[in-house]
Amino acid sequence: LPHDDMLNPVALKRFVKGKDIIIHAAAVNKGSDTEVIAGSVVGTYNLVAALGGKKGGGKIIFLSSAQAALDNVYGLSKRLAERILEDFSRRNGAPVTILRLTNVFGEGARPSYNTVVATFCYQVAHNKKLTIHKNSRDKKLNLIYVKDVAQIISNDIFKNNKKGLTFREVSTHNKIAVGELAKLIQSFRFLKNEKRLKSKFRKDLYKTYLFYANGRKIKN
C-alpha cells in the first residue's frame, strides 16, 4: 500500500478488506513537524478507523521505533501511534503486536536519509569523504539487520495470539560506536575474503556494503 493511501480513508478501507495480517510500517521521519506527526499518527488513526469496531478481525503488526522513548517529534509520532493501537486492541480485543525496533540497517536503504550505515556504505563504495561530527564519534549505536527484522515479523505472524496486545522491545548485542563503524566499513574496500569476518553482524554489514559497491539501484 503506498504511504499516501494511509492518509486516504477510502483507499485504506478498500485495502484492509479481507486481510488476515496487516504489517504497518508506514511513517515519515523527515519533514516538518506536521508532516512527521501525520505520517504516523493520522495514518494509524485512519487504519483503525478503516478496520472499524469489528471483533475477531485481522492482526496488526506495527513496526515502531526505539525513538518512541525519546523526546523528539519522530519519537512522539511513534509513541502516539502505539497508543492508538493499544486502545484499539483493548476496545476490540484485536490482536496487535507492537515491535519497538532498534536501528535497522540493510540493503536498499537510502543514504543520507535515516541510516548512518547506508550513508557510510555508499560513501565508501563511491570514494567519498566520510564526515563524522565530533560529538557523534563516540556515540554508541545498537543495530539490527533488516533480514533479522523480517524473521521476527514472520515468527510473529504464525504465533497463535488471536486477541490482545503484544509489546516487544527489539534490541541486539550489535553495539558499536559511530567512529568504529566508519573504520569498519572503510576496511571493507580492501577485504578479499568474507571468511575473515568472524561475526554474523560484520558479515551483514559487509553484505550491505556490497549492495552499494556493486551499483545496485536504490528506491526513493
Side-chain angles (χ1 to χ4, degrees):
L1 180 72
H3 180 270
D4 286 349
D5 281 356
M6 289 291 289
L7 305 180
N8 182 337
V10 176
L12 197 51
K13 195 157 189 174
R14 245 188 339 257
F15 171 77
V16 302
K17 188 176 180 180
K19 296 291 190 301
D20 294 321
I21 303 284
I22 296 171
I23 300 170
H24 175 12
V28 173
N29 65 350
K30 299 265 186 193
S32 67
D33 290 358
T34 301
E35 289 167 336
V36 172
I37 292 291
S40 286
V41 178
V42 177
T44 302
Y45 176 84
N46 286 346
L47 175 62
V48 299
L51 289 168
K54 297 182 299 180
K55 296 186 182 295
K59 178 178 184 176
I60 300 173
I61 299 174
F62 176 53
L63 305 189
S64 187
S65 166
Q67 290 203 43
L70 302 181
D71 188 21
N72 58 47
V73 174
Y74 179 66
L76 175 62
S77 74
K78 284 293 191 180
R79 200 155 64 245
L80 290 172
E82 289 177 358
R83 296 296 176 270
I84 291 169
L85 291 168
E86 288 168 2
D87 181 66
F88 175 70
S89 178
R90 185 175 62 252
R91 284 187 292 106
N92 298 291
V96 172
T97 295
I98 296 172
L99 299 174
R100 193 180 272 191
L101 301 171
T102 190
N103 303 286
V104 181
F105 74 94
E107 301 90 328
R110 288 167 58 187
S112 303
Y113 187 68
N114 65 340
T115 160
V116 70
V117 173
T119 303
F120 285 168
C121 285
Y122 179 85
Q123 289 173 335
V124 171
H126 292 82
N127 297 313
K128 295 180 180 292
K129 182 181 178 182
L130 270 65
T131 303
I132 306 172
H133 297 298
K134 188 176 180 181
N135 59 352
S136 299
R137 184 171 294 276
D138 296 324
K139 180 183 177 182
K140 287 278 188 180
L141 300 175
N142 185 257
L143 300 170
I144 186 168
Y145 187 41
V146 66
K147 291 183 181 177
D148 293 334
V149 174
Q151 187 60 57
I152 290 168
I153 294 169
S154 177
N155 292 344
D156 192 83
I157 286 172
F158 295 104
K159 277 186 179 175
N160 191 30
N161 50 334
K162 299 295 185 184
K163 61 181 181 179
L165 178 73
T166 301
F167 178 89
R168 180 179 171 191
E169 293 198 23
V170 181
S171 62
T172 70
H173 296 295
N174 304 329
K175 294 180 180 177
I176 187 169
V178 172
E180 185 184 349
L181 175 67
K183 287 180 182 178
L184 176 59
I185 292 173
Q186 285 173 317
S187 75
F188 291 159
R189 288 183 60 194
F190 311 103
L191 186 65
K192 302 297 183 184
N193 189 343
E194 183 184 339
K195 291 181 180 178
R196 294 184 62 187
L197 299 171
K198 301 299 183 184
S199 70
K200 177 184 178 302
F201 172 52
R202 292 190 172 216
K203 289 177 181 178
D204 291 338
L205 282 172
Y206 183 59
K207 283 185 279 188
T208 304
Y209 165 76
L210 289 179
F211 174 88
Y212 300 95
N214 292 335
R216 299 287 295 279
K217 289 185 178 180
I218 302 161
K219 291 183 179 180
N220 290 320

